[in-house]
Amino acid sequence: MDDLKRPTLDSDFTCDMAFNKITKWAQKNSLWLLAYGTGCGAIELSPTMTSRYDWSRLGIRGSATPRQADLLLITGYLSTKTLKRVIRSYEQMQDPKYVIGFGSCTINGGMYYDSYNTIKQLDLYIPVDVYINGCMPRPEAVLSGLAYLKDKIGDKKADGWIKYKQNFEWYRENQKKILKSFNGDNMPDKYNW
Amino acid sequence: MSWVETVYNYSYFVGAFGLIMIGLYAVMVKTNLIKILIGINLIDVGVNIFLVSLGYIKGKGAPIFSNASVTPANSIDPIPQALVLTAIVIGVAVTALSLSVIIKLYQHYKTLDISKIREMRW
Amino acid sequence: MVDYAILLIALPLFAAFLIPLVAMVNKNWPKYIPILVTAFNSVLSINLLLYLNAHNGTPFIVKIGGFIPPFGINLFIGYLAIILLMLISFVGLMISLYTINTVKDAESRYYMLFILLLMGVTGLVITGDLFNMFVFLEITSISAYSLTAYKRDGLSLEASMKYILIGSLASVFVLIGIGVIYYSTHTLNIADISNHINTVPKYIKMFSLSMLLIGLAIEAELFPVNGWVPDVYQASPTPVTTIFSSIVVKATIYVFFRVLFTVFRADLTVMNFVMGLGVITLLIGEISALKQVNIKRMLAYSSIGQVGLIVIAISSYSSMGVAGGIYQMINHAIFKGILFLGTAYMITSVSGTGKISDLKGIAQKMPISSFIVSFSIIALLGVPPLTGFWAKMMILSSVMSSGHQIIVALILFATVVEAVYYLKFIAVIYDSSEITNSFKSTIKFNKIVPIVLFALTIILFSVVPQFLVKFQDVLLKAANELTNVSSYISIVLGS
Amino acid sequence: MNVLRTIALILSLGFLSSILFYKIRELRNLSIIASLSVALGFVIKFFGIYTGIKRAFSYKDLFYFKFDAFSNFFVVLILGVGLLAILASWNYMKEKKGETFFYVFFMLTILGMVGLVYSRDMLSFFIGWEVMTMGSFLVILQSNEKDRFKFALRYFIISLIGAYSLLWSMFIIYNKVHSFKFSAFNSSVFTKGELTTLLITISIGFLIKAAIMPFHTWASGAYSRSPLTFTAFFSGAMSKMGIYGLFIFLYGSIGLSAIYKTGYNEFFQTSYFQYTLVWLGVITAFLGTLRAILSEDIRVMLAYSSVGQLGYMLIGIGLGSTLGLTATLFHVVTHGLFKTSLFIVVAAIIHRTGKTKFHELGGLINNMPIAFIATLISIITLAGIPPLGGFATKWLLYEAMIEKRMFFATAITMLASIGAFLYAYRLIQNLFLGQRKLEHDDVKPAPLTMQIAMLIPALGMVFLGFFPNLLIKYTNLFIELINIDFFKLGVKVTDTAFTNSYGYWNAFYLGSAVVIIFIVSTIYYNLQRRAKIYKIGQLDIYTAGEYVTRETPLNYSFNFYGFIFDSLKPAIKYSVTNFITRISKEFIALSDFVRRIYTGNGQHYAIFTMIFTIITLIYFLS
Amino acid sequence: MSTDSMYRLLVTIAVILGSIIYGFFINSLARRITARVQNRMGPPLKQPFIDVIKLYSKRTFVTHGIMQTLGPILMLTGIISTLILIPYGKGYLTLYSSNGDLITILYIMTFGQLAMALAVGQAGNPYGTIGVARGLTRMFGYELPLILALISLIALNHSADVNVIIANQHGGIANWNAFRHPFVGITALLAMLGMMSYQPFDNASAPAEVASGPITEFGGKFMAIMMTTNAMFVVAKLALLVDLFFGGASNIFILALKIFLLYLYPLFVGLVFPRFAMEDTFLFFWKWPTLIGFIGLAIAIF
């Protein structure tokens, strides 16, 4: 845990201010989230997108494929089996990408702290930008989490994707520890591409 | 009365065609090969009689010129008789040949029934 | 004068009866006598051709025994007779070459009958006397009966029996016909008969015509009466079948039309009847050949079809049509020669039972003969540059000009049917899967040489256009001889 | 020097060299290519020039040959496509069994066709026709496909029927006019009934060769079972002989006037005969395209697409107006180009991979880039998309049909051309794009000669797309020889703009506009500099998080347009081919019945003779 | 370059940019309307612009090969060349429509679609290919009624030139083509449903079935180009339909209004109908619309 390097401002990130301001504004207001309900919290997403809470007001829209998505929601506990799919989808997403973890299960395993097949601490395997607590947060909580993420993007703090790229070996090693048959399921060692 | 007269005049022709008809009946109906062969011979004989009777003129003798009394005027036409000679020879040859074939057929097919001997058909 | 023409008949006769003596001296000498005889005949006929050209193409007659024509037997030799003579002797030479070691235990009797058959056919072609024609017909038939039965196995005996049964009926009809004609015109010389034929009362003339027509139709393999043809062709040894289909049929068709045109001065009603017969023979022959399994039987049916075509051509009664018919006769003789000899050679080498399926993929082992066989098939179908096409063009244009458009359509339809089963045959030969039964490749030169020579004649006829055009007016002269009755009479009775 | 004689000499030299040098492959191929290209150069040099050279050649007033723009148009097509096909088959046939025969029979077919096209009398026309059919039949026979005999036989029999219906019509003419010369024909001598039978038999003969709908059953078998480089020639040039024949017999020697004079009552001044031709063409175009969309084997699909394209040409001829004929000629050239290049591409693929089905191939774009480019240009022309030449034919054809007020036919033809776009896309998608199979990784690109043979037509198509008016110059040369005086040329061609009463279209302008816009959009595309472009592997695709390997089947290519098949299933089962197979079965049964007459019993034969005697006696004595 | 052609070029560029903006505007309006129908607020009007800028600002772009990069560019080319052939009003607004008649427009539309299809093919994603196959089958379906409608228009106006067709519709609403020839109008409207690839017939890019269909593999910059071209294509198609059936427009604003009103029609149909299965889509277009089309054509001819 200790040799985790602080995310330094990678060269991609520095760009001339004027243009940066507009892209920041655009990235903030149009978040396309990968329609991939990993855990029990996915049920909360439907009320947030339908008429009462309607996240499309905030410019958020679901997207079918990781290629078009910016945001990956880990809703609730994450079993090791789903971790394989999550890693693949996360690595297939294009670069300024963010991850939100729902509920306590992503923080410390939650009520499944001692179960053999769930991930105790999500942060070891993929970088998480925002945590939303609540054993499955209500739509209001989800919206507030999303708003918080938008502010983080606004002032350039949501840099999980840079941390992942710079400490890639570390993450990969953790993943290999938990996923015994890594190459057995022919998961590529290097970054997905 | 006239047709009786014609029959009398051409009695030989009627006889010859009668023989031919009988021969044809045998060939058409009988299934036994030997009987068919006999039918063919009957037809041959009928034709030969018809040929000979062609040259016959009523009341004239055979054209043998050795004795003086015979002149070409009062003798019948000898040429059909010459034709009949060859026809008879041919008839004999064909009958002999077909008999030998029939014997061989019998040895091979063990039957003389013509409707049984049809290995090659369609 | 050209009295040596009688040698054409005399020498084969003499050689035929010499063979038993020669056999006593040395057992395997008789094999070479047919070759000598046919070679002599072809030289003689070429000589006659030169003589004829020297006399600018007018036919001549040969008086036998010095009797002036209406009384004695005379031979009538013109372009048509010479074409048929050369055909007989050339194809006869090829077949006798082929038979040297085909019929294994061939006693001398086989060669004697072989020469008798050839002599009978030669006589048929050149005789000018009606009864003499009957005698030659009988000689051919009797030697044909015995040659068919030569193999002495079940099939050949059965075929020979059927042939004898129908053949004797045929001779009966011919004999009655000749008798009635003699009774009404008191003469047997063809030219003399046709001179007096108008005096004969209509019923008797018609009766004798129908009698002769039926008798000769049996010999000329026209439809209702050619039941014996497929069996005889299938069962008799191959050289004999080739003689039947290439030579004997041509001579009998010639006799059939000589009797109709010259003796009875046939008018249009007779010709239409004969054309109808020809069309039916063509259709039945081609259609029933479609489903045959045995090669020789298939070729037999195809020969019946071709006979039908020749009969249609000649009975179209225009000079182009008759010339086309004669040209088709020559073509058909050559093509059937190749086909029969070629396929027999293949079957013997595969020692198969004569089924088409036995020859599957034979082209890989016997490329030359299978190439020549397929070349002759393509020529037979009438693919343009080759001879079959020109003959068919002549026939079709004459039949069309005589107004029978439907018959032209039927002929074309029959050719398509012919193309179907012949190309299926080629497909079997060139099948790429390897041969099923055992194959011993015995290159026998005496088998390949005749086929190659036949193939060369096809190429000769098709590729050399000058030769074709000069050849065309020879054909037209021959056609004229057949149809022009008055010139026939003037030549025979005039001198 | 007589132009015709020299061309005949050159070509027969080529033919002889294909026989004599059969042992040395290079020498033989080079000599054939040399003879074809020299002959082609000759024809192009004297294309329109009529002065100063002896052009006619006749032999024994039986065969007449003439050298003029009318036949040169098609000879250039034949020799050009033939040259490309032989160039492509240099490698394609290299180690195949029966290679020597292939070249001999190929040259035989070319000789037959050139003779056929230059002939001015029916006899030599028919001889050329038969030699062509026989040559192509032998080529199919010697290819080493599995079941080639069945299809070669079906092809030969049906084209034989066509040839004989031609022969029959020739005799009808010969009977009345007593000469085989084309020019000797005048339609006044014939009765109305005869003229109708004449028209029917002639059009049957040529429609069979052009594989139009009711007679197309041989097309898919013959095209797919013969060696593919020969099929390029087969469908590129040989099927046009049917169209050429219709030109000569309907508009050349017999002349359009004949159809008019027969007093057919017209419907909007087009006679019923022309209506049947047009509607035959439309149905063939539509059903041919439909069959192409639903077929699974590449060669069969291309075969049915040729059948469809020939339908378009027939429509042009059926219209009879000058614009219609120009459209047909234009389509003859464009179809010759793109079909040759497509067949050579498919030949290259089969040569390299050995597979002929769509679902066995995929992702060959990296292995065969040039083949991909050639296919791309060909399918754009096939579908008639504007920047390239294909659109010119479509536009001319529709204008011609609208000008003749055949609106229903135009609608269905347009639908057929959209269908062409469907199977064109499937061709390029299933062969070049999508996932590449494991065993195709080391597939080498197409051999050099084949690549050249693909690219030349591709360049031709692009050139035609921008400057179609050059080809119009040659088609006008062609049409003025047919001297249809009462139909003015429908379309006014000013440099590259086509305008007529109904519409207009400017080829060069549109092409240049597309190019400019292309440049602009590339600039727009490169606006954003800072992103890093990753070129990722084939397997890195969205598969809902699953890890896939090379073995997992990821190509959607089997039953590509399954939807159309399911929805049209009730209508599809009535196809002409099983109708024809049923007829042939009945015929075989008939032959089985007929041969039963020979019962094998001697007595029956004797009874037959007796019946025959009775019949003859009744006939003669009555 | 004479001044006249310079003006025409400037106007063309203006129209192209205008069509992008107006396309996005209509798109966002549509999303708001669908939202309001579903009793929710819906995204802000400027959402499409935000999306495009965000897509453009992506850091990494993933491509499977030359064809995938070339595809969007060619698609842009195809759409723009369709755009310039359609008249948007009088004078310079007719852009370059003097160089291609109705048949040319009909055929050049497929150029863009072919380019996109090739790019999807190169991407190698089975979902993409299935989407393209469905799109092409649907196109094969709706082309028949569309062609029948266009051909009957050509028959009625004796010319395939769009400007001439517009000219023939001057005067009141009564002699707009949609109302003067009702059958032709109905066929065109039914065929339009297929063209717009909206709800009842959006089975090409059905989100649940084939994971957004053809554009599955397209992210970042390619997605941006896809959206702009989509917007332009919607405007172009609607403009063409307005010109042909609803009397064209003298000035640009009336055209914009007519386009928007016409755009509402498939939108509302989309909101009401669920998605058709593929076979039903294909047969739907070949049953009733074709029948009415044939009747319209028959009336047009006789």
Side-chain angles (χ1 to χ4, degrees), chain C residues 170-296:
Chain C
S171 62
V172 159
F173 282 114
V174 169
L175 213 54
I176 296 172
I178 294 172
V180 169
I181 294 175
Y182 178 74
Y183 176 70
S184 49
T185 59
H186 300 292
T187 166
L188 280 173
N189 189 312
I190 292 178
D192 208 8
I193 300 171
S194 63
N195 234 341
H196 303 292
I197 198 72
N198 307 349
T199 59
V200 171
K202 182 170 175 320
Y203 282 103
I204 295 177
K205 179 181 164 204
M206 277 305 156
F207 176 75
S208 62
L209 181 119
S210 55
M211 280 300 130
L212 267 168
L213 187 132
I214 296 155
L216 292 173
I218 293 175
E219 284 306 319
E221 295 171 15
L222 290 178
F223 168 62
V225 287
N226 59 6
W228 56 275
V229 170
D231 302 348
V232 166
Y233 278 37
Q234 180 179 356
S236 57
T238 327
V240 177
T241 333
T242 335
I243 293 177
F244 284 158
S245 80
S246 298
I247 305 168
V248 174
V249 168
K250 307 301 180 294
T252 38
I253 295 173
Y254 161 75
V255 165
F256 181 80
F257 280 105
R258 171 64 79 191
V259 162
L260 283 184
F261 284 139
T262 329
V263 171
F264 290 99
R265 295 176 186 260
D267 54 5
L268 215 48
T269 51
V270 176
M271 277 309 124
N272 286 348
F273 181 78
V274 168
M275 188 174 258
L277 272 183
V279 169
I280 302 168
T281 325
L282 174 69
L283 288 179
I284 302 280
E286 297 296 350
I287 292 175
S288 43
L290 206 55
K291 224 151 126 57
Q292 291 308 335
V293 174
N294 186 308
I295 297 177
K296 278 211 217 156

Side-chain angles (χ1 to χ4, degrees), chain D residues 160-181:
Chain D
L160 206 64
I161 294 168
Y164 284 151
S165 80
L166 275 181
L167 192 65
W168 198 30
S169 57
M170 267 165 58
F171 276 121
I172 296 176
I173 297 170
Y174 182 76
N175 236 353
K176 280 286 173 53
V177 174
H178 297 299
S179 133
F180 280 117
K181 248 171 92 67

Side-chain angles (χ1 to χ4, degrees), chain C residues 22-34:
Chain C
V22 167
M24 275 193 286
V25 168
N26 176 335
K27 240 181 80 40
N28 50 28
W29 267 8
K31 288 210 282 286
Y32 304 108
I33 293 182

Side-chain angles (χ1 to χ4, degrees), chain C residues 134-183:
Chain C
F134 168 71
V135 167
F136 278 126
L137 197 66
E138 277 318 303
I139 293 171
T140 334
S141 312
I142 292 171
S143 40
Y145 301 153
S146 38
L147 273 175
T148 324
Y150 187 74
K151 272 200 252 172
R152 287 197 203 79
D153 60 358
L155 291 185
S156 56
L157 290 169
E158 178 194 333
S160 154
M161 181 273 295
K162 286 179 197 165
Y163 193 8
I164 293 168
L165 185 67
I166 307 293
S168 52
L169 277 183
S171 62
V172 159
F173 282 114
V174 169
L175 213 54
I176 296 172
I178 294 172
V180 169
I181 294 175
Y182 178 74
Y183 176 70

Side-chain angles (χ1 to χ4, degrees), chain B residues 24 26-31 36 114-122, chain D residues 592 595-610:
Chain B
L24 274 178
V27 166
M28 293 301 138
V29 175
K30 290 293 173 240
T31 54
I36 294 172
I114 193 165
S115 57
K116 296 274 184 312
I117 306 169
R118 44 197 288 264
E119 214 179 305
M120 283 193 291
R121 50 182 180 274
W122 301 314
Chain D
D592 198 19
R595 72 189 181 128
R596 291 244 186 286
I597 292 178
Y598 295 97
T599 53
N601 181 338
Q603 206 161 30
H604 293 182
Y605 300 152
I607 295 163
F608 288 159
T609 6
M610 279 304 117

